[in-house]
């Protein structure tokens, strides 16, 4: 009775059409996300016997995974990769978005140049960067040589392999994050900046007290999706670090191990345990970010 008094017929009609409009998306999420997640969990409790036959082994895959030092090494690599790429990529993207959003000549050309990596295939990006990082004839070592610096084996040295991959990942994601942040910057009313200029606020103070708080919801979206993408990193590592690379153990991520177990060793049960553990890590980090965002994200 209370609902009938609270919602009019027009409201109920809007609700109905709202549910109808989101139904395809919800159906897609259930089929493409929830069902594979349930299948992965079931596979993680089984051992692959070959020819699509499985044997239930309970938590053995998880016990094996937690006692496997290779897994912990890969988790450590993934976290280091995440810590390197996400803050740097977000910071550089915000600076670029602010610059190309200002009143400068040819900003359309700059936007195109920075967004260009997003329309290039990751395989092409990896090939170009592998050539640039080549220890013998790469352009980076050539430039270092002109400064009198000895050549660096970027991709085969365990201490630089993960850093090299991180540089490529940051470069590849700058355009996408810059565009998202530009949308956030354009939503800030100019009247705030005009009022600040009348009060004599410098550009730095305007950025700190107007831009940052008002773009923080967009910034939060960029950060949270950046963490998810970094933890799920696979393609760049796979294409730049071959399986015979001596630095592989120091650069392989958790999903690289998943690929190795699932599609090279055909150990889908153990691989599913790895991917379920990755899912839990992402959920925990995402949950922490949602709690912490209350302290720095400002919604109008």
């Amino acid at each position: 009775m209370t609902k009938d008094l609270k919602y009019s017929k027009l409201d109920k009609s809007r609700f109905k059409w709202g549910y109808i409009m989101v139904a395809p998306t919800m159906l897609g999420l259930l089929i493409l996300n929830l069902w594979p997640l349930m299948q992965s969990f079931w596979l993680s409790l089984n051992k692959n016997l070959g020819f699509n036959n499985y044997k239930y082994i309970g938590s053995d895959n998880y016990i094996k995974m937690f006692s496997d030092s290779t897994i912990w090494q890969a988790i450590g690599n993934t976290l280091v990769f995440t810590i390197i790429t996400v803050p740097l990529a977000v910071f550089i993207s915000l600076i670029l978005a602010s610059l190309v959003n200002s009143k400068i000549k040819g900003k359309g050309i700059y936007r195109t140049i920075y967004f260009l990596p997003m329309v290039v295939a990751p395989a092409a990006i990896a090939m170009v960067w592998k050539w640039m990082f080549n220890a013998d004839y790469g352009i980076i070592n050539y430039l270092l040589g002109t400064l009198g610096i000895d050549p660096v084996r970027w991709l085969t040295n365990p201490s630089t392999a993960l850093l090299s991959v991180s540089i490529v990942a940051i470069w590849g994601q700058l355009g996408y994050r810059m565009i998202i942040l530009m949308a956030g910057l354009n939503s800030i009313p100019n009247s705030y900046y005009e009022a600040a200029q009348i009060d004599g606020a410098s550009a730095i103070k305007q950025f700190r007290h107007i831009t940052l708080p008002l773009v923080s919801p967009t910034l939060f979206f960029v950060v949270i999706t950046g963490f998810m993408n970094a933890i799920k990193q696979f393609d760049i590592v796979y294409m730049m670090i071959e399986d015979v690379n001596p630095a592989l153990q120091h650069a392989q991520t958790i999903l690289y191990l998943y690929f190795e177990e699932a599609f090279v060793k055909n150990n889908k049960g153990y691989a599913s345990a790895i991917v379920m553990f990755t899912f839990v890590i992402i959920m925990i980090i995402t949950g922490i970010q949602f709690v912490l965002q209350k302290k720095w994200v400002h919604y109008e």
Side-chain angles (χ1 to χ4, degrees), residues 192-203:
Y192 293 163
Y193 294 104
E194 292 169 357
Q197 288 171 359
I198 293 172
D199 291 338
S202 64

Side-chain angles (χ1 to χ4, degrees), residues 77-110:
N77 294 339
T78 306
L79 293 178
V80 171
F81 175 84
T82 304
I83 292 170
I84 293 175
T85 58
V86 176
L88 275 177
V90 172
F91 176 75
I92 297 173
S93 300
L94 181 60
I95 297 298
L96 290 177
S98 300
L99 290 176
V100 299
N101 204 43
S102 60
K103 296 177 181 177
I104 58 173
K105 289 184 179 179
K107 59 184 179 184
I109 298 174
Y110 292 123

Side-chain angles (χ1 to χ4, degrees), residues 149-194:
I149 300 174
D150 293 334
V152 178
R153 297 201 169 274
W154 295 98
L155 296 177
T156 54
N157 187 333
S159 59
T160 58
L162 189 59
L163 176 64
S164 305
V165 173
S166 301
I167 292 172
V168 180
I170 291 171
W171 179 82
Q173 290 292 320
L174 281 181
Y176 169 74
R177 289 170 180 162
M178 184 191 74
I179 293 296
I180 298 294
L181 288 170
M182 280 176 57
L185 292 173
N186 285 325
S187 66
I188 302 174
N190 284 328
S191 56
Y192 293 163
Y193 294 104
E194 292 169 357

Side-chain angles (χ1 to χ4, degrees), residues 117-174:
M118 283 304 300
V119 298
V120 179
I125 292 174
M127 288 182 64
V128 171
W129 277 95
K130 280 181 74 174
W131 171 77
M132 293 173 66
F133 279 129
N134 189 282
D136 298 321
Y137 50 83
I139 191 171
I140 296 176
N141 274 350
Y142 171 77
L143 294 174
L144 292 177
T146 60
L147 300 175
I149 300 174
D150 293 334
V152 178
R153 297 201 169 274
W154 295 98
L155 296 177
T156 54
N157 187 333
S159 59
T160 58
L162 189 59
L163 176 64
S164 305
V165 173
S166 301
I167 292 172
V168 180
I170 291 171
W171 179 82
Q173 290 292 320
L174 281 181

